[in-house]
Amino acid sequence: MPTPVSECLYCQNNETLHNLMIKICDLEVSQLFLFREQTYRGRCNVVYKDHGVDFHELTDEQRSLFMKDVARAGKAIAEAFSPDKINYGAYGDKISHLHFHVVPKYSYGYGFGGVFEMNPQKVILSDAEYSEIIEKIKPGL
């Protein structure tokens, strides 16, 4: 059953969202957020502008623009942090709002060689550290 807009984390743009993520900027058809949980340094989320749309329901043009945003975020993260690999994940079991996790992985780091853990709760940073990460990502966008 799809999540109604009234219960959607991204559409409500409330304290729950702000406790999980920090908005970096608007992209062409989406928004880019930095996860507060930074076990994977530079981990972000690209969130499509409209609620309740599944990937296969996008028009060719919408899909192309969204994937351009995802690639743009991945490139900016790669330039900022030089990860060994970037994992991409699109899940929607509990939140019916199209979004892609962009997760940099490091060969010396947590979970390398496996599927990224959604919320490992290992690394929470200070506001200054979040700002530093965001400022490293922004020039690549």
Side-chain angles (χ1 to χ4, degrees):
M1 167 155 283
T3 309
V5 171
S6 63
E7 296 175 21
C8 176
L9 175 72
Y10 303 110
C11 294
Q12 294 308 303
N13 192 22
N14 60 21
E15 185 178 351
T16 302
L17 177 66
H18 300 287
N19 287 336
L20 291 172
M21 299 174 215
I22 302 165
K23 183 176 176 183
I24 296 175
C25 66
D26 290 317
L27 299 171
E28 195 160 351
V29 295
S30 58
Q31 296 178 325
L32 181 62
F33 291 89
L34 177 72
F35 276 90
R36 288 189 184 274
E37 204 299 316
Q38 283 288 295
T39 296
Y40 309 101
R41 189 160 185 84
R43 180 181 177 194
C44 289
N45 205 0
V46 180
V47 180
Y48 191 66
K49 64 178 181 164
D50 295 327
H51 178 78
V53 179
D54 206 340
F55 190 69
H56 70 276
E57 296 172 326
L58 297 174
T59 66
D60 288 346
E61 180 182 7
Q62 290 168 325
R63 191 170 31 260
S64 178
L65 291 172
F66 180 61
M67 292 312 294
K68 182 179 172 185
D69 284 351
V70 172
R72 188 173 160 192
K75 182 175 185 246
I77 292 166
E79 289 173 354
F81 301 106
S82 301
D84 294 296
K85 182 69 176 129
I86 294 183
N87 288 182
Y88 297 88
Y91 307 100
D93 293 351
K94 296 184 179 180
I95 298 176
S96 302
H97 197 120
L98 180 59
H99 60 285
F100 266 68
H101 297 263
V102 183
V103 186
K105 301 279 287 289
Y106 305 90
S107 60
Y108 57 84
Y110 183 79
F112 190 80
V115 177
F116 70 89
E117 197 173 328
M118 191 61 69
N119 195 10
Q121 288 300 314
K122 306 245 184 241
V123 180
I124 303 298
L125 306 175
S126 69
D127 288 344
E129 290 170 308
Y130 292 124
S131 293
E132 182 181 314
I133 289 172
I134 289 169
E135 291 310 311
K136 285 185 174 183
I137 292 171
K138 277 186 174 181
L141 297 170

